């Protein structure tokens, strides 16, 4: 039987595959495998839980202020006029210790030491920001959240812990200032009251006079003579355009 000549009609040249090498995969199979892998990755991304386990359900389309309460494992807001549920906010695996309504947001303190703000932005309630308190697990179980959230007015929220008071801007959660407790003393979140626009906060100490055991705060920080506090408003640039950076002082 004769050997076909090169170039003869109907003859296909076959390249020899090295012994032991894997067989080649058709291009169609490779493309299909790639598409399947992409689909699996996308499905895993959508099934991945949110970092804070947020679950917000809107029950009413109105954006008017409502009464905010912590009920069971969720924070709920009710219309002051109709009493209907406006929205319900829960976090998987956590429960709220306290909730209140401030000027720009509904605020909640959770059992893991996280503070959240829900605001009617832009047309319906949305979770705006999260902030986690330092070492909340050490004192929150005994404290129970009473007095930790303290609105100071002018869009500022004070979060009172035994060691530190932290002030956040309600609109975006920006940390504006902190006030540490005096050495040997501790703030008492539940022992505070509003008076003439100031928050009078107890700071029990073992040996100090009683006058040193009360701290007066407002949205600009500790009230003291001749203080020069930083402003808490968002930076505003030319023509009312908000800027992310801080303005520089003019040369003298």
């Amino acid at each position: 039987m004769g050997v076909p000549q090169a170039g003869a009609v109907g003859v296909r040249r076959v390249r020899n595959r090295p012994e032991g090498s894997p067989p080649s995969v058709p291009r169609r199979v490779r493309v299909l495998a790639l598409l399947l892998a992409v689909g699996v990755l996308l499905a895993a991304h959508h099934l991945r839980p949110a970092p804070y386990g947020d679950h917000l359900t809107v029950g009413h389309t109105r954006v008017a202020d409502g009464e905010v309460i912590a009920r069971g494992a969720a924070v709920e807001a009710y219309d002051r006029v109709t009493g209907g549920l406006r929205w319900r906010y829960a976090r998987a695996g956590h429960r709220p210790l306290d909730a209140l309504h401030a000027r720009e947001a509904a605020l909640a303190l959770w059992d893991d030491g996280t503070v959240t703000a829900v605001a009617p932005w832009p047309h319906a309630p949305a979770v705006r920001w999260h902030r986690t308190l330092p070492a909340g697990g050490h004192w929150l179980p005994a404290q129970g959240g009473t007095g930790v959230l303290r609105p100071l007015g002018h869009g500022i929220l004070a979060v009172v812990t035994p060691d530190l008071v932290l002030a956040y801007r309600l609109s975006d959660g920006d940390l504006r200032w902190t006030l540490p407790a005096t050495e040997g003393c501790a703030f008492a979140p539940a022992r505070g009251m509003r008076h003439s626009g100031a928050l009078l906060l107890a700071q029990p100490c073992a040996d100090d006079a009683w006058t040193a055991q009360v701290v007066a705060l407002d949205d600009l920080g500790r009230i003291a003579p001749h203080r020069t506090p930083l402003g808490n408003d968002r930076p505003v640039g030319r023509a009312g355009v908000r800027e992310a950076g801080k303005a520089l002082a003019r040369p003298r």
Side-chain angles (χ1 to χ4, degrees), residues 113-197:
T114 299
V115 178
T116 60
V118 177
W121 180 264
H123 301 297
V127 183
R128 182 170 289 182
W129 51 262
H130 304 78
R131 296 294 179 266
T132 301
L133 303 182
H138 297 299
W139 55 273
L140 263 181
Q143 172 66 27
T146 303
V148 175
L149 304 180
R150 297 281 187 172
L152 297 178
H154 298 94
I156 299 296
L157 169 73
V159 180
V160 183
T161 76
D163 298 324
L164 192 67
V165 178
L166 305 100
Y168 296 101
R169 191 163 52 202
L170 287 174
S171 60
D172 56 3
D174 185 58
L175 180 64
R176 301 310 302 150
W177 51 264
T178 62
L179 177 66
T182 304
E183 185 176 356
C185 308
F187 294 116
R191 296 169 58 186
M193 61 175 293
R194 297 280 301 181
H195 179 70
S196 299

Side-chain angles (χ1 to χ4, degrees), residues 74-90:
V75 176
E76 298 178 345
Y78 293 88
D79 193 288
R80 295 185 185 275
V81 178
T82 66
L85 179 67
R86 293 182 55 241
W87 51 262
R88 186 177 188 271
Y89 171 47

